[in-house]
Amino acid sequence: MFRKILIANRGEIACRVIRTARQMGVSTVAVFSDADRDALHVAMADEAIRIGPAEAAKSYLNIAAIIEAAKASGAEAVHPGYGFLSENPDFVEAVEAAGLVFIGPSAGAIRAMGLKDAAKTLMQKAGVPVVPGYHGERQDAAFLAGEAEAMGYPVLIKARAGGGGKGMRRVEQPADFAAALESARREGENAFGDGRVLVEKYMTKPRHIEVQVFGDNHGNVVHLFERDCSLQRRHQKVIEEAPAPGMTAEMRAAMGQAAVRAAAAIGYSGAGTVEFIADVSEGLRQDRFYFMEMNTRLQVEHPVTESITGLDLVEWQLRVAAGEPLAKRQEELSIDGWAFEARLYAENPARDFLPATGRLSVFDLPQDARIDSGVRAGDTITPYYDPMIAKVITHGRTRAEALAKLETALETCRVGGVTTNTGFLTRLCRLPAFAAGDVDTGLIGRAGESLLNEPDASEEAFALAALSALGFLEAPADPDPWGHLRSFRLWGEAAQTVFLDHGDAEHALRVTVRKKNRFHVEHNGITTDIVVQSTDGRSVRVAFEDRVLSATVHREGTDILVFFAGHVHTFTIAEEAGHHGEAAAGGDRLSAPMPGLVRVVSAEPGARVAKGEALVTMEAMKMELVLAAPRDGVVATVPVAVGDQVAEGALLLSLEPEEAA
């Protein structure tokens, strides 16, 4: 076994590898960019080495810097994690040329599966069914449009390199094909350095089912059963589970054997995943599943496989790379129970899952679920890398039990300081179709706004925020409630008005002290009586009329977070009424929703534009953001150009006032 390994990655997966290596007595070396100098994976590793600036291209994608770090540290092997260089055959060859071991498949195996079109040709020869479509070399737009027309809409344009939903566009009608092709090519070029695409028939009710495979250097290949990854947004996975609901023994055997054939065809060694798409318009059928691609690395969702098999896949990776044979034969592997994984992201589902940045002022996750994370309270989610905060994994004897545990775990997540998808994930767990196992890749889209929008703050949440603003939830409790009240009184009960911002509005709440721990709160003509039974300055036990509930209230400066009834609501204390003034620029401005790079500018001053028309395309957090006109009008100014790096809130484009237009 290796004495020391270097982990050529960051965040959650780096922390994950470090944990297993430590259990095996293997020392670890972390690498970090300037943005990650104080990151958790740096703190966990036995030693850490800087490899460059914050930009991934100059650090985590810098092959020369990583090889130099590995040699300087005395590491014997390199673990690539997932993403970044994990599926780069040039990196594998550089590692081996330096006299080190790459913990993963050979460069040849990665190349064989790295381009989707070539991989599908190889799979056809191996007897593995592939999705109908065009996987050839011709790339002129007119030809590809003709192929799409011939196979019939809807179609799916896919970058032939990479994965993670990048460079993928669904096209419903011929009129949209050219723009979608250009966008897919651009994103593929930006993400993978390859703008070539393939075009496939889009299935109206597809399920994404993948099979975990493992090979060694002695010719052995096994599969570790399947995972269902059909719950997706933007072609990216949201919740994964193992095994797949509705899977029969016959179907499992057919998919498992196809996956093993795929891996054996390229002499595969290490952990890999063979991804299939299944047409379930008539249910799961053995003649309706097709090879999509093979990920020649460990997958983000590998914990659900570990949960149902009782295996540590990172340990298997290290042992196989060290030359050991697989620990088990196929007949020795079995499924125990059910597991789910939810990906907790810094993103805003109500704004088309726009990635978010910010400091994690609160980060309390449940103790009764497996949590894989690379961050801590106080860490900052930056615009440089993927915005995943944590993975929440649960296991149960049955699917219903595992799903119930996941819902409970998500309800008790306390993450503040940055917008997250926690509420979205919780609502998804409650979706009847998902609970019944009736899943496909279009389920989230069909569920609509009910999944995406956070519910309005309740009057109870407003009341808790008002009490926090006035200091009544501090610990230890002030024995004299009058001390918190600034208004002069001659008689009657003490009262104080507090102004809170919530959403896009200002709210005035009048708080009256009834007794030491009893309060009366008036807001928008609604009165709420609240009794504070206990508080430690954060965890609060309160009574509202005939209900007794628990909440978490976190205050930092003028910001107040209320975690209540499975939701988080954000309030900001204002000094006085009317501080808002007029809404900033109304619908006349197009501003950057987050830091990023301007990729496309489609309008110039004087141009007339229509509401919803795409005007600016930004790249941020490994994805493209298309920003549209907020209303019909005439462009007044365009202060940015293609290639500009802009800050959050930067003006990208303005429209002439409506009177002038």
Side-chain angles (χ1 to χ4, degrees):
M1 181 48 60
F2 307 114
R3 180 181 56 83
K4 180 188 289 188
I5 65 171
L6 179 139
I7 304 163
N9 217 295
R10 66 175 298 280
E12 175 269 321
I13 185 57
C15 295
R16 165 73 187 87
V17 175
I18 290 170
R19 291 186 185 100
T20 287
R22 180 176 294 147
Q23 292 171 0
M24 297 175 68
V26 177
S27 297
T28 56
V29 182
V31 293
F32 63 90
S33 71
D34 288 342
D36 281 340
R37 183 174 296 275
D38 299 318
L40 180 60
H41 75 279
V42 174
M44 288 181 61
D46 295 297
E47 56 187 289
I49 299 175
R50 178 188 179 273
I51 52 172
E55 295 83 359
K58 299 176 182 178
S59 52
Y60 296 108
L61 294 175
N62 187 336
I63 293 177
I66 292 173
I67 297 298
E68 181 59 33
K71 290 170 29 177
S73 68
E76 301 160 278
V78 175
H79 194 299
Y82 51 70
F84 293 130
L85 295 169
S86 62
E87 295 180 280
N88 186 319
D90 295 337
F91 180 53
V92 178
E93 290 171 343
V95 169
E96 293 174 346
L100 308 170
V101 175
F102 181 77
I103 302 174
S106 67
I110 293 176
R111 283 198 175 95
M113 289 299 187
L115 298 177
K116 296 181 178 69
D117 50 0
K120 291 184 179 184
T121 300
L122 180 62
M123 290 301 97
Q124 284 178 309
K125 292 179 180 178
V128 180
V130 302
V131 180
Y134 177 73
H135 309 130
E137 289 295 322
R138 286 193 61 178
Q139 291 291 303
D140 54 286
F143 174 78
L144 293 175
E147 290 294 306
E149 191 77 39
M151 70 183 71
Y153 287 87
V155 300
L156 196 63
I157 302 172
K158 301 170 67 175
R160 73 170 193 161
K166 304 295 187 300
M168 189 179 296
R169 299 291 184 273
R170 175 181 173 179
V171 188
E172 297 287 346
Q173 54 189 1
D176 300 329
F177 186 85
L181 175 62
E182 181 181 354
S183 179
R185 281 176 167 166
R186 185 170 56 245
E187 196 167 76
E189 183 67 41
N190 293 337
F192 318 118
D194 189 341
R196 287 169 289 184
V197 302
L198 48 86
V199 183
E200 294 179 341
K201 177 66 179 174
Y202 183 84
M203 298 176 190
T204 55
K205 194 173 183 182
R207 275 178 66 180
H208 182 138
I209 301 175
E210 60 188 31
V211 177
Q212 176 74 59
V213 294
F214 237 102
D216 62 21
N217 297 315
H218 306 277
N220 302 307
V221 182
V222 298
H223 71 82
L224 279 65
F225 313 109
E226 80 283 353
R227 301 184 286 257
D228 194 300
C229 307
S230 298
L231 287 188
Q232 301 179 8
R233 89 291 185 274
R234 288 181 176 269
H235 304 293
Q236 293 189 340
K237 301 162 187 174
V238 176
I239 295 180
E240 302 97 347
E241 62 180 297
M247 180 66 70
T248 64
E250 295 76 17
M251 183 81 172
R252 176 173 293 122
M255 295 187 84
Q257 290 163 10
V260 168
R261 285 200 304 273
I266 57 172
Y268 198 80
S269 176
T273 298
V274 181
E275 300 195 350
F276 296 101
I277 190 167
D279 180 356
V280 295
S281 55
E282 298 179 14
L284 274 174
R285 290 175 43 171
Q286 292 184 47
D287 61 345
R288 296 282 182 89
F289 73 91
Y290 310 95
F291 172 86
M292 285 199 302
E293 62 186 7
M294 182 175 184
N295 291 304
T296 51
R297 53 171 168 78
L298 196 66
Q299 290 279 87
V300 177
E301 58 272 21
H302 75 274
V304 294
T305 296
E306 293 182 324
S307 295
I308 66 167
T309 61
L311 303 173
D312 183 329
L313 299 194
V314 174
E315 179 181 348
W316 274 38
Q317 284 187 298
L318 295 180
R319 294 194 179 283
V320 165
E324 297 181 21
L326 293 179
K328 292 191 175 186
R329 299 186 301 272
Q330 189 68 59
E331 58 270 22
E332 297 177 289
L333 297 166
S334 61
I335 296 174
D336 176 24
W338 216 285
F340 285 92
E341 173 185 293
R343 301 189 188 190
L344 183 57
Y345 272 92
E347 64 182 12
N348 189 340
R351 297 184 64 188
D352 198 22
F353 298 97
L354 182 71
T357 58
R359 177 178 168 274
L360 291 168
S361 57
V362 181
F363 190 64
D364 294 332
L365 299 187
Q367 300 297 311
D368 52 356
R370 171 176 168 177
I371 305 296
D372 284 11
S373 180
V375 295
R376 304 151 294 188
D379 286 351
T380 298
I381 306 300
T382 74
Y384 299 108
Y385 315 115
D386 186 89
M388 188 171 71
I389 297 173
K391 301 184 303 194
V392 181
I393 305 108
T394 58
H395 179 263
R397 293 168 296 177
T398 65
R399 185 176 189 272
E401 179 181 309
L403 184 57
K405 287 182 177 180
L406 180 64
E407 180 182 344
T408 299
L410 291 169
E411 285 179 338
T412 55
C413 286
R414 301 286 184 262
V415 182
V418 62
T419 303
T420 76
N421 64 342
T422 310
F424 164 76
L425 294 172
T426 305
R427 292 188 291 276
L428 192 52
C429 289
R430 298 168 183 161
L431 200 63
F434 180 40
D438 183 15
V439 296
D440 64 81
T441 59
L443 180 60
I444 289 176
R446 290 195 304 273
E449 297 298 315
S450 62
L451 279 179
L452 304 181
N453 294 319
E454 289 292 326
D456 294 334
S458 64
E459 290 302 319
E460 290 88 348
F462 269 105
L464 286 167
L467 294 187
S468 176
L470 293 173
F472 288 115
L473 302 183
E474 294 176 0
D478 190 328
D480 178 16
W482 304 105
H484 296 294
L485 302 179
R486 299 191 297 271
S487 56
F488 175 76
R489 66 179 179 88
L490 290 176
W491 60 83
E493 297 168 312
Q496 177 70 51
T497 298
V498 61
F499 300 100
L500 299 175
D501 287 344
H502 176 69
D504 297 325
E506 175 188 277
H507 300 262
L509 295 98
R510 187 167 179 80
V511 178
T512 303
V513 180
R514 297 297 194 195
K515 292 183 180 179
K516 178 179 177 180
N517 64 334
R518 296 174 180 270
F519 305 90
H520 180 81
V521 182
E522 299 176 50
H523 171 233
N524 287 342
I526 301 173
T527 60
T528 303
D529 289 310
I530 178 172
V531 179
V532 180
Q533 295 185 339
S534 63
T535 176
D536 61 5
R538 191 166 183 183
S539 297
V540 184
R541 187 76 169 169
V542 292
F544 299 103
E545 296 182 352
D546 57 350
R547 294 183 304 147
V548 179
L549 301 169
S550 296
T552 299
V553 182
H554 175 82
R555 178 174 172 180
E556 189 166 312
T558 59
D559 293 330
I560 298 173
L561 298 173
V562 177
F563 298 90
F564 182 67
H567 302 286
V568 57
H569 303 288
T570 303
F571 303 87
T572 302
I573 304 170
E575 286 300 317
E576 57 185 6
H579 67 287
H580 269 230
E582 296 183 7
D588 293 340
R589 297 166 57 97
L590 204 60
S591 300
M594 64 187 307
L597 185 69
V598 177
R599 285 293 184 187
V600 178
V601 178
S602 303
E604 57 185 24
R608 181 167 289 279
V609 296
K611 181 179 180 180
E613 180 179 344
L615 300 181
V616 179
T617 300
M618 290 179 57
E619 179 189 345
M621 283 178 152
K622 297 167 49 176
M623 64 181 289
E624 280 198 351
L625 308 173
V626 179
L627 306 175
R631 60 171 173 82
D632 295 347
V634 175
V635 177
T637 61
V638 184
V640 296
V642 173
D644 286 354
Q645 186 76 37
V646 297
E648 181 177 356
L651 177 64
L652 305 177
L653 179 147
S654 66
L655 300 178
E656 293 181 1
E658 292 196 79
E659 297 77 8

